[in-house]
Amino acid sequence: MRELTYGQGIKEGMRIKMLENPDVFIFGEDVGLFGGCFGVTSGLFEEFGEKRVRDTPISEGAIIGAAVGAAAVGLRPIPELMFVDFATVGMDQLVNQAAKMRYMFGGKLKLPMVVRLPSGGGVAAAAQHSQSLEAWFTHVPGLKVVYPSNAQDAIGLMLTAIDDDNPVIYLENKTLYAVPGQVEDEVKPIPLGKANIKREGNDVTIITYGKQVYDSLKAAEMLEKDGIDAEVIDLRSLYPLDKEAIFESVKKTHKVVIVSEEAKRGSYAGELAAIIADECFYECDAPIKRVCALNTPIPFSGNLEAYVLPNADDVVEAVKSLF
Amino acid sequence: MKISNETIIEMYEKMVKIRKFENRAMNLFAEGQVGGFVHLYIGEEAVATGVCASLRDDDYITSTHRGHGHILAKGGDMKYMMAELFGKESGYCKGKGGSMHIADATKGILGANGIVGAGHNIAVGAGLAAQYKGTDQVCACFFGDASTNQSTFHEGLNLASTWKLPVIFICENNGYGISVSQARHQNITDISQRAVSYNIPGITVDGNDVFAVFEAVQEAVARARKGQGPTLIECKTYRWRGHFEGDPTVYRPEGELEQWKKKDPIPRAEKYILDNQVMTQAEMDQLNAKIDAEVEEAVEFAQASKFPDVASAVLDVYTDIVEEGRTR
Amino acid sequence: MNSIGIIANPASGKDIRRLVSHATVIDNNEKINIVERIILGAQQNGVKKVYMMPDPYNMGYRVEDKLKTSGELKCEIEVFDFYKEDTVEDTYKAVQMMNEKNVGCIVTLGGDGTNRAVAKDIQEIPLISISTGTNNVYPDMIEGTIAGIAAAVVASHQFDKAAYSNRDKIIEIETAGQLKDIALIDAVISRDIFVGSRAIWKVEDIEKIFVARSHPASIGFSAVVGGKTIITEADDFGAYVSIDKNAPKIKIPMAAGIVLPIGTSEPVILNFGEKHETTTYCRGTIALDGEREIEFHQNQTFIFKISRNGPWHVDVKKAIEVGQQNGFFTV
Ligand SMILES: Cc1ncc(C[n+]2csc(CCOP(=O)(O)OP(=O)(O)O)c2C)c(N)n1
Ligand SMILES: [Mg+2]
């Protein structure tokens, strides 16, 4: 075992594949010598050179579009957008092109690309640099979506994502970059669609991913003091989704709280709730609860932002409301 | 060019205001009193100042992530700006926007913007409204060199040209988009030449010479007010600080900053003012002292203000709907 | 070894006159194309080395790269390696180095302003000027290939330069007992109070116009004098006029697409050696060859003189004729 931060884990995953396969390359704004706005690609430019770690102009449409084109003809690009919020600018290329080409063309194409998108609030970056847009991506048939919460998963998911022949949206939480974690010496690829039970429990199932894994674990500890034994599931992969792990847990606990940082309306958390209601309703003996951000843009001021974003207390409160 | 001493003094005052405000913001950030992303305008003061001196109060501007200078130049109030940097309730955006999103609709400031390239077409829309209503207002659209690689730049110029809209596109070419030098983000050096493809005038001026900027913008504004359409003005300049506060600027060649510091727009204006007796040294010192006091007052105002009440978080998402808050 | 120097001004062809008149944009890619043709024309005729001024767009390296990639480059291109100020200082420095390298000919791409900067220190090196600026009187509209061929003839040192070039006149401007600056075509005293965007176009602010030559078929301030009298390059004198609102007006092409009625005093001839002294009564600027260069305030005295201290300006056609007559092009 060794210690790596979440950011280093992401880098490690890319690096392993770049060493292995010359078709894997990185491009995006300031990913080169600067090492990326959050330092995730630092050192890769020096190691692999500017052919494989490329700075692009500020042209999100071109970044995603060029990845689509390069992937269509056989490379395995890893485009990075500096913030998930800028995916809006490249959305046509992602939604109308990347997600649909294979299907429209009758399965004649493969699009092996991994789009890295730093997400989430908590750094006083205000409304246009703090969003959690996973529901947009999970909504689009043709895209796979992963969201690691720790260094080990960051590596494992990256390895699989790069090897995947479909476009994979790789969401990262920017408050986690510096968070250290224990990592196996040789990390194995983590299959997409395989959730991780972070904490076993019998009384309630907390389904979450990304940064909210930490809030949920903290909430579980607090709940324990009140005699509530919570199970915490880190989905890791939002699509494909590990329904089995979810249903297994619900069958055991019969109560569900879903935690995400998205604005609640139209969130992926809502989709999860709907799936459970649809397919596992009779196992539930309480309403399915969502703990999300408020339905507002993310405000700048620290106290407002903290109020809008969900935290461990909100999870505790939601869980308690079920008992 | 006929230009009164009052205008010259006004422009000088604006530039000094911007410089002093930014220096103070820089220190406050270093002290941890101000957080988030702060992009400073130090070194580029002549651009915003020269542009806004050619605008009326009822004209519009669109700004960028590097917006403090634009806002001060268009008449923004330092107190409310500073309070916004602190995230206070008394700030321009009631603490919801921060440095990157300051706006003042009463002054025609359509907002600083966190999305690179977003302003181009918002400016086009403001120009469209002026044309639609038959007023002779114009909109000055500020943007950086690196933003001209966004499709919005091309779409905006094309639409403004086709519809002959009263928009002055002001490119602040400071040679970088974050760490990527112009040579590495586009295969041209003079962004003004992009105007040719859209059949509008495009010129390059010394962006560190407030008079050069002023003069060019005067002409472009006059043209726009007469219904002759948009102009692209490229102002060559340089940012002295990192892209944002905290940027180690490893990408700068040695000596580059020092070279540009020699072209500091403020001493250039000072020299002109003293040489031509527009002001005496004593008057100039007095003005500087006045601005120092104003900046301090703004900081005190910001510090003394309250943080917004959390209940305000759910207001202003819409004009009418108030979103649900938290129970905690 | 036959060598030439090329100074392509990266700043020409994009100033405010695209906004205030109908001037054309000449972007740096077009200049690169011209430089390419100069080099190709010159190397075919014996030029082995081309020195170039560095510039922010790296025109020299771009040309070298292009011609190497296409396999056409036969001569050597050396872009001077000095710290670029990205101002006229680069031109001064490049001219000085071209003098040190003893180049046979300097070719400029730019406007009157570019050539004025080159003229300051070019000394005895013959000059070929290609127009890539605005409102130009000094440089010629010539095809790059032809300019390159003429440059090769000149750089061969086989012919007497008097056979194809003349020494130009200049206007010398002195103040406080020192040479302050020069102009090749015209110097204008204006009430425009700052240098600002440099180009000068506001006729209502003009006080006096000095010219080294004048013709009604040229464009800009020298045409104002040209409207009254023609002074050729050969004449050993220049002239000046004062703008006079009450004088009868003549229609003058002042800038691209701009023809204005202008009233002036009768031209006063300034012979070589004669000095015209003027003391300013308000703030203003002196524009040299169309660009505001000198800011002045009240009570400053300037002296204007005409001399033949300018560069050896090559008549491209004549140079090629001399080559042809002497079998220079025979394979
Ligand atoms: C759509 C979008 N892409 C990327 C960014 C990240 N970003 C913020 S500022 C910036 C550089 C902008 O450079 P330029 O337009 O030249 O303005 P400057 O910062 O030099 O004033 C980048 C890449 C962003 N905010 N929005
Ligand atoms: Mg820039």
Side-chain angles (χ1 to χ4, degrees):
Chain A
M1 292 297 260
R2 59 206 159 113
E3 192 176 276
L4 284 186
T5 65
Y6 179 75
Q8 286 166 336
I10 298 167
K11 172 161 69 183
E12 170 102 347
M14 295 191 285
R15 189 173 165 269
I16 292 170
K17 284 291 162 191
M18 286 177 81
L19 288 168
E20 201 178 287
N21 183 348
D23 289 343
V24 179
F25 70 113
I26 294 173
F27 58 101
E29 293 158 19
D30 303 279
V31 298
L33 198 57
F34 198 60
C37 199
F38 299 103
V40 173
T41 52
S42 66
L44 294 181
F45 177 85
E46 288 81 353
E47 183 171 358
F48 294 99
E50 59 184 337
K51 181 178 170 195
R52 297 183 68 195
V53 185
R54 291 177 177 244
D55 283 325
T56 65
I58 308 177
S59 308
E60 284 78 10
I63 294 170
I64 304 286
V68 173
V73 299
L75 297 181
R76 306 190 90 83
I78 312 176
E80 175 194 310
L81 301 190
M82 203 176 281
F83 289 80
V84 73
D85 314 67
F86 312 156
T88 53
V89 182
M91 214 57 176
D92 163 62
Q93 297 295 319
L94 208 50
V95 174
N96 292 321
Q97 316 306 328
K100 299 189 173 45
M101 274 168 74
R102 178 174 174 81
Y103 184 80
M104 290 189 301
F105 300 166
K108 297 267 160 55
L109 266 186
K110 289 178 190 165
L111 289 174
M113 54 190 271
V114 180
V115 186
R116 289 186 43 229
L117 300 171
S119 305
V123 295
Q128 296 173 336
H129 289 71
S130 302
Q131 297 172 80
S132 292
L133 299 176
E134 46 270 29
W136 290 18
F137 307 113
T138 51
H139 177 68
V140 178
L143 301 178
K144 295 186 179 178
V145 184
V146 301
Y147 201 149
S149 66
N150 58 70
Q152 168 100 2
D153 289 356
I155 302 174
L157 289 170
M158 183 58 85
L159 296 177
T160 316
I162 293 173
D163 276 345
D164 200 291
D165 281 335
N166 301 283
V168 179
I169 305 297
Y170 189 100
L171 299 167
E172 303 166 9
N173 187 287
K174 55 178 100 74
T175 63
L176 298 182
Y177 283 128
V179 174
Q182 289 299 310
V183 169
E184 286 159 13
D185 290 333
E186 203 172 318
V187 179
K188 286 191 207 46
I190 298 170
L192 304 193
K194 199 85 200 80
N196 188 11
I197 315 291
K198 293 294 270 192
R199 183 186 200 278
E200 291 192 25
N202 291 310
D203 300 338
V204 60
T205 301
I206 302 176
I207 305 171
T208 188
Y209 52 87
K211 172 170 179 266
Q212 278 61 48
V213 169
Y214 299 87
D215 295 332
S216 301
L217 287 170
K218 193 169 150 203
E221 267 171 47
M222 290 153 76
L223 289 163
E224 194 175 77
K225 293 196 189 98
D226 292 320
I228 299 174
D229 185 18
E231 177 145 309
V232 177
I233 302 182
D234 177 359
L235 290 178
R236 304 197 288 202
S237 163
L238 308 189
Y239 192 82
L241 175 67
D242 191 348
K243 286 191 199 175
E244 216 181 288
I246 295 173
F247 297 160
E248 277 303 304
S249 178
V250 177
K251 276 177 203 158
K252 181 169 63 172
T253 65
H254 310 291
K255 289 185 176 56
V256 184
V257 171
I258 301 159
V259 189
S260 81
E261 200 181 305
E262 314 161 272
K264 190 186 260 181
R265 187 166 71 241
S267 60
Y268 183 63
E271 172 65 13
L272 290 169
I275 289 171
I276 296 164
D278 245 2
E279 302 179 34
C280 204
F281 182 77
Y282 298 109
E283 295 294 342
C284 299
D285 65 9
I288 303 164
K289 283 277 167 197
R290 287 175 293 161
V291 175
C292 294
L294 299 182
N295 289 321
T296 73
I298 306 298
F300 166 70
S301 198
N303 65 335
L304 295 185
E305 185 175 23
Y307 179 74
V308 165
L309 297 179
N311 64 19
D313 292 333
D314 300 323
V315 179
V316 169
E317 187 189 298
V319 169
K320 284 191 177 166
S321 76
L322 303 179
F323 289 90
Chain B
M1 165 108 323
K2 296 281 173 297
I3 163 174
S4 66
N5 280 354
E6 288 76 68
T7 307
I8 294 175
I9 294 170
E10 238 169 68
M11 292 203 287
Y12 171 68
E13 180 173 357
K14 283 271 162 70
M15 290 203 289
V16 175
K17 251 189 183 179
I18 299 171
R19 174 72 52 95
K20 290 187 188 288
F21 180 90
E22 295 293 63
N23 274 327
R24 197 68 176 88
M26 174 178 89
N27 293 333
L28 289 165
F29 184 91
E31 292 161 12
Q33 293 202 54
V34 161
F37 284 103
V38 176
H39 308 83
L40 298 181
Y41 201 63
I42 300 173
E44 306 185 17
E45 294 88 348
V47 182
T49 302
V51 171
C52 292
S54 301
L55 300 179
R56 297 192 309 236
D57 248 14
D58 67 339
D59 289 325
Y60 300 108
I61 64 165
T62 61
S63 172
T64 65
H65 54 284
R66 199 175 302 291
H68 304 169
H70 308 146
I71 291 151
L72 282 168
K74 189 67 174 54
D77 188 320
M78 247 187 214
K79 286 207 304 284
Y80 306 134
M81 288 177 67
M82 199 55 100
E84 190 56 38
L85 297 195
F86 277 78
K88 296 294 178 78
E89 186 185 31
S90 59
Y92 259 121
C93 315
K94 303 177 188 165
K96 284 185 177 140
S99 161
M100 251 193 304
H101 303 296
I102 298 176
D104 183 355
T106 64
K107 293 262 160 49
I109 301 167
L110 301 179
N113 206 314
I115 300 298
V116 171
H120 300 127
N121 289 317
I122 295 172
V124 166
L128 173 62
Q131 187 192 60
Y132 188 94
K133 292 193 209 155
T135 72
D136 68 345
Q137 291 158 290
V138 303
C139 181
C141 170
F142 291 99
F143 54 93
D145 50 304
S147 85
T148 66
N149 302 318
Q150 287 287 36
S151 54
T152 49
F153 169 76
H154 299 271
E155 292 164 352
L157 257 65
N158 183 58
L159 191 55
S161 167
T162 305
W163 289 353
K164 280 207 166 51
L165 300 177
V167 183
I168 328 297
F169 292 98
I170 306 292
C171 179
E172 303 179 312
N173 185 351
N174 60 14
Y176 289 90
I178 308 190
S179 74
V180 185
S181 66
Q182 194 194 3
R184 295 176 61 236
H185 74 62
Q186 54 191 197
N187 201 2
I188 55 171
T189 41
D190 302 307
I191 290 162
S192 61
Q193 79 182 56
R194 293 200 163 170
V196 176
S197 337
Y198 301 102
N199 191 21
I200 62 172
I203 63 168
T204 299
V205 301
D206 178 351
N208 279 21
D209 181 345
V210 72
F211 298 129
V213 176
F214 175 72
E215 191 169 46
V217 176
Q218 285 272 306
E219 295 290 340
V221 167
R223 225 179 145 264
R225 291 208 204 284
K226 281 188 279 182
Q228 291 175 288
T231 301
L232 170 59
I233 298 174
E234 175 190 19
C235 306
K236 303 253 199 213
T237 183
Y238 197 80
R239 69 168 148 74
W240 288 12
R241 301 290 302 165
H243 171 70
F244 41 68
E245 286 310 284
D247 163 9
T249 68
V250 288
Y251 46 83
R252 272 181 180 164
E254 211 175 306
E256 190 177 76
L257 173 62
E258 288 63 37
Q259 209 58 33
W260 276 94
K261 280 191 169 173
K262 289 191 211 147
K263 301 185 202 168
D264 185 345
I266 294 177
R268 277 168 82 170
E270 278 170 355
K271 180 171 183 320
Y272 181 92
I273 287 170
L274 294 174
D275 280 357
N276 292 291
Q277 285 135 34
V278 179
M279 271 198 266
T280 63
Q281 183 66 53
E283 286 167 337
M284 197 178 265
D285 293 345
Q286 215 174 2
L287 181 62
N288 271 272
K290 187 191 100 181
I291 297 169
D292 282 332
E294 211 180 313
V295 174
E296 273 334 293
E297 217 177 288
V299 175
E300 281 158 26
F301 172 79
Q303 285 166 337
S305 297
K306 309 192 286 156
F307 282 106
D309 181 5
V310 290
S312 73
V314 292
L315 304 179
D316 288 327
V317 185
Y318 301 93
T319 55
D320 47 3
I321 302 170
V322 175
E323 290 292 348
E324 212 173 290
R326 291 208 185 275
T327 44
R328 83 161 108 106
Chain C
M1 189 171 63
N2 298 353
S3 66
I4 63 171
I6 299 178
I7 290 181
N9 178 0
S12 74
K14 57 182 74 84
D15 71 17
I16 194 164
R17 283 169 288 199
R18 273 101 212 125
L19 180 54
V20 297
S21 76
H22 300 262
T24 328
V25 177
I26 302 200
D27 69 42
N28 291 337
N29 295 315
E30 191 46 42
K31 289 173 208 163
I32 286 178
N33 291 338
I34 297 171
V35 170
E36 220 174 282
R37 300 198 290 268
I38 296 169
I39 293 175
L40 291 170
Q43 71 172 15
Q44 287 299 78
N45 290 288
V47 168
K48 295 274 183 284
K49 178 113 194 195
V50 177
Y51 294 99
M52 285 196 66
M53 175 178 82
D55 73 87
Y57 193 43
N58 290 322
M59 290 193 261
Y61 295 109
R62 284 172 190 261
V63 170
E64 186 178 15
D65 183 54
K66 238 172 129 179
L67 292 180
K68 272 193 179 148
T69 313
S70 69
E72 290 168 285
L73 190 66
K74 285 196 234 143
C75 63
E76 192 190 330
I77 298 178
E78 180 181 332
V79 182
F80 290 134
D81 183 19
F82 58 73
Y83 188 87
K84 297 178 291 243
E85 301 275 347
D86 199 9
T87 66
V88 68
E89 294 298 325
D90 295 346
T91 303
Y92 298 153
K93 184 108 188 239
V95 170
Q96 188 196 331
M97 289 177 74
M98 285 173 189
N99 257 306
E100 283 161 19
K101 300 281 182 196
N102 225 339
V103 300
C105 178
I106 291 180
V107 186
T108 57
L109 283 76
D112 289 343
T114 311
N115 286 292
R116 187 178 66 84
V118 171
K120 282 191 187 181
D121 199 24
I122 190 170
Q123 300 171 30
E124 297 301 315
I125 307 173
L127 173 65
I128 294 179
S129 342
I130 303 180
S131 172
T132 63
T134 329
N135 293 11
N136 298 305
V137 177
Y138 190 84
D140 308 299
M141 298 294 282
I142 15 170
E143 159 54 36
T145 323
I146 304 302
I149 295 171
V153 173
V154 173
S156 73
H157 296 293
Q158 292 178 25
F159 314 104
D160 180 5
K161 68 179 163 196
Y164 53 73
S165 65
N166 285 310
R167 187 142 213 158
D168 276 319
K169 288 182 280 186
I170 54 171
I171 306 166
E172 296 177 18
I173 297 106
E174 291 175 1
T175 187
Q178 283 200 335
L179 181 65
K180 172 92 181 163
D181 218 320
I182 64 162
L184 287 172
I185 306 294
D186 53 44
V188 169
I189 302 180
S190 157
R191 287 183 303 267
D192 228 334
I193 60 168
F194 46 69
V195 164
S197 54
R198 308 202 83 87
I200 180 161
W201 70 92
K202 293 240 162 72
V203 179
E204 59 276 16
D205 292 335
I206 307 298
E207 297 259 317
K208 268 186 194 160
I209 302 171
F210 297 82
V211 293
R213 56 169 111 154
S214 61
H215 199 283
S218 56
I219 197 158
F221 292 100
S222 66
V224 177
V225 182
K228 299 249 177 181
T229 183
I230 294 174
I231 301 173
T232 69
E233 291 94 300
D235 293 328
D236 283 340
F237 54 82
Y240 69 90
V241 294
S242 302
I243 298 291
D244 180 353
K245 279 201 201 91
N246 304 316
K249 293 191 162 68
I250 305 176
K251 283 173 268 180
I252 304 292
M254 288 306 298
I258 295 185
V259 181
L260 296 172
I262 291 173
T264 67
S265 66
E266 284 308 311
V268 180
I269 297 296
L270 264 182
N271 286 305
F272 284 0
E274 254 180 87
K275 292 180 176 182
H276 177 86
E277 196 177 292
T278 186
T279 299
T280 56
Y281 67 90
C282 65
R283 262 193 268 166
T285 41
I286 299 176
L288 305 172
D289 295 325
E291 291 187 1
R292 283 168 276 167
E293 289 287 345
I294 303 168
E295 282 173 356
F296 60 74
H297 27 97
Q298 210 177 343
N299 279 328
Q300 272 182 279
T301 299
F302 291 93
I303 292 169
F304 293 80
K305 287 194 308 193
I306 312 288
S307 74
R308 205 170 274 291
N309 291 335
W312 288 90
H313 192 171
V314 175
D315 180 331
V316 165
K317 249 183 166 172
K318 264 202 195 143
I320 294 180
E321 280 166 21
V322 169
Q324 182 244 28
Q325 284 152 12
N326 292 287
F328 183 79
F329 305 117
T330 312
V331 178

